Amino acid sequence: MSSPGQEPREYEPPPGLGKLALWILLFVVAAIVVVAGGVYFG
């Protein structure tokens, strides 16, 4: 029985942070693919 502003946020991050983390992960994966492809085809 907590008030509406006191819910724990441990299980889900704020939407903005989650979306930012998703873009960073996508960028890192793309960079790894490009580097690995360059090494493999180099």
Side-chain angles (χ1 to χ4, degrees):
M1 304 305 186
S2 60
S3 59
Q6 302 288 355
E7 294 157 357
R9 286 299 212 138
E10 297 154 8
Y11 299 112
E12 55 175 325
L17 187 62
K19 185 161 289 191
L20 180 63
L22 189 66
W23 279 112
I24 291 172
L25 184 65
L26 187 67
F27 182 79
V28 168
V29 169
I32 291 172
V33 169
V34 169
V35 171
V39 170
Y40 185 77
F41 292 114

